Amino acid sequence: MKKLFIGISIISTALFAGCTKDITAPDFPDAPLAANYAKGADVSWVSQMEAGGIKFYNNAGTQQDLFQILKNKGINSIRLRAWVNPADGWCNTADVVAKAQRAKNAGFRILLDLHYSDIWADPGHQAKPAAWVGQDITALKVSVSTYTVSIMNALKDKGITPEWVQVGNETNNGMLWEEGKASVNMKNYADLVQAGYAAVKSVSSTSKVMVHVSNGYDNGLFRFIFDGLKANGANWDVIGMSLYPTAANWQTLNTQCLTNMNDMVTRYGKEVMLAEVGMPVAEATAAKAFLTDIITKNNSLAGGKGLGVFYWEPQAYNGWQGYQLGAFDATGKPTIAMDAFLIK
């Protein structure tokens, strides 16, 4: 997700403003979900929210631990972002490990999201960590490797093995700018991805490495990134996507996303995951339809290549940090959108 929260769900709204089709979607997928299908949530804000006195409630109005509420809604996987040295400490290695311990103890699988930045990394913002500023590409590859091994070992020391690890977040134009900007030097970006990939595998050979790009409906963007990575010798296991539609355009974007997902499977033979999804909290009924449909579409990929769908910070409510795309209402209870994850 991004540092600019207001309006980020309105991706391509102008293009699809006339798409006001019926928002209903089937209550159940066309076929049962794969046994290991990931129904996930990124809850990286949870420790910061709790420290600020924010509480969470189940639909009966009873205060509960967030992880239990999510589990009761069918969530089986947790995504956690990691920043190298954030100014306020939230999402640093210690905070990530603490949240990962909670997730593991609650029985969740874990997706680790390495931003390789001290703050939000997204399509328009891929700033190096302050400690890496001034490094050339050779030094940056070493920094990526050293940091990745360090956080993976910090988790390993607590008996935690992430099932999936992102090397970069929404890297539509690479990461660690300017050296790793894909449109300027795809080889540099590919080398950074490969450094992260090798570092993850050196600690945990079973963890699947993901490259994550936003706008899951944009096939041209995905071909640009993954053709470039392939041509320059980078490895990855999973293609990660973001998708943030509205009630007006979700059907159009989901159809385009399915076309893109199928192309990724055919073109590269890789698995595909929706690592981030969200919709305005005020559109909860439409959000449930959107989620049910995108889960169904992802699950339909040939060869079981559709791995799962993760909602981004569903527990953020009452405009926490200016964010309006959560799936909990103003009283801190899950909206109907979260019921989409109850499908089996």
Side-chain angles (χ1 to χ4, degrees):
M1 199 51 181
K2 308 88 189 140
K3 59 188 186 301
L4 298 176
F5 299 122
I6 306 302
I8 52 178
S9 68
I10 318 301
I11 299 168
S12 299
T13 298
L15 295 176
F16 305 110
C19 300
T20 54
K21 300 177 184 176
D22 177 33
I23 63 172
T24 59
D27 287 333
F28 300 99
D30 296 332
L33 295 185
N36 62 343
Y37 194 81
K39 296 184 287 184
D42 186 317
V43 296
S44 300
W45 266 328
V46 63
S47 51
Q48 187 177 359
M49 294 180 77
E50 290 171 342
I54 304 297
K55 301 182 188 307
F56 307 99
Y57 303 87
N58 63 22
N59 287 119
T62 302
Q63 183 184 338
Q64 270 188 322
D65 180 79
L66 175 64
F67 289 88
Q68 186 60 53
I69 295 170
L70 294 174
K71 179 171 282 191
N72 291 345
K73 287 295 181 180
I75 297 297
N76 59 27
S77 303
I78 294 294
R79 181 178 186 249
L80 299 170
R81 67 177 161 272
W83 292 334
V84 176
N85 188 26
D88 60 11
W90 300 113
C91 296
N92 66 10
T93 297
D95 185 41
V96 169
V97 170
K99 288 178 291 195
Q101 285 182 282
R102 286 179 64 182
K104 183 193 177 200
N105 291 342
F108 291 101
R109 301 148 75 190
I110 295 171
L111 165 55
L112 176 64
D113 173 16
L114 303 176
H115 282 229
Y116 298 121
S117 183
D118 292 335
I119 192 60
W120 305 103
D122 56 52
H125 185 263
Q126 295 284 339
K128 299 184 195 75
W132 304 2
V133 170
Q135 295 183 356
D136 63 13
I137 187 62
T138 300
L140 286 171
K141 287 188 287 184
V142 173
S143 292
V144 165
S145 179
T146 301
Y147 167 71
T148 303
V149 168
S150 174
I151 193 167
M152 289 291 292
N153 276 331
L155 291 165
K156 184 177 180 180
D157 288 346
K158 300 295 184 181
I160 300 165
T161 302
E163 188 164 343
W164 313 275
V165 182
Q166 285 182 221
V167 289
N169 187 76
E170 293 189 329
T171 55
N172 296 25
N173 194 13
M175 60 190 183
L176 294 166
W177 292 348
E178 294 291 317
E179 286 75 8
K181 184 171 281 189
S183 60
V184 175
N185 195 320
M186 183 64 80
K187 179 64 164 61
N188 280 358
Y189 170 52
D191 286 351
L192 292 168
V193 168
Q194 185 60 29
Y197 178 93
V200 170
K201 298 292 186 178
S202 74
V203 178
S204 172
S205 62
T206 62
S207 295
K208 295 181 179 180
V209 175
M210 180 191 303
V211 173
H212 175 216
V213 178
S214 77
N215 298 355
Y217 54 84
D218 188 345
N219 181 244
L221 170 63
F222 278 73
R223 286 192 174 199
F224 162 69
I225 288 294
F226 291 101
D227 279 0
L229 291 177
K230 183 178 179 180
N232 286 282
N235 289 291
W236 71 93
D237 303 313
V238 180
I239 291 172
M241 300 179 173
S242 298
L243 194 64
Y244 288 94
T246 67
N249 66 21
W250 72 261
Q251 290 172 313
T252 297
L253 295 190
N254 278 15
T255 297
Q256 293 175 335
C257 186
L258 177 60
T259 298
N260 189 29
M261 290 190 291
N262 281 326
D263 184 59
M264 294 297 98
V265 171
T266 300
R267 194 172 182 87
Y268 309 109
K270 303 295 186 180
E271 296 170 316
V272 180
M273 175 181 283
L274 276 296
E276 291 185 21
V277 299
M279 187 179 278
V281 66
E283 300 174 351
T285 300
K288 181 186 176 185
F290 153 63
L291 290 166
T292 302
D293 186 64
I294 199 62
I295 290 170
T296 301
K297 283 178 165 58
N298 181 250
N299 184 62
S300 75
L301 300 185
K305 297 289 191 184
L307 295 186
V309 173
F310 283 70
Y311 203 104
W312 199 84
E313 301 281 11
Q315 84 288 353
Y317 70 95
N318 276 342
W320 169 264
Q321 301 282 313
Y323 189 64
Q324 300 290 345
L325 308 186
F328 277 48
D329 66 21
T331 67
K333 297 184 291 190
T335 70
I336 193 174
M338 294 303 293
D339 289 351
F341 291 103
L342 294 170
I343 62 178
K344 301 183 184 298

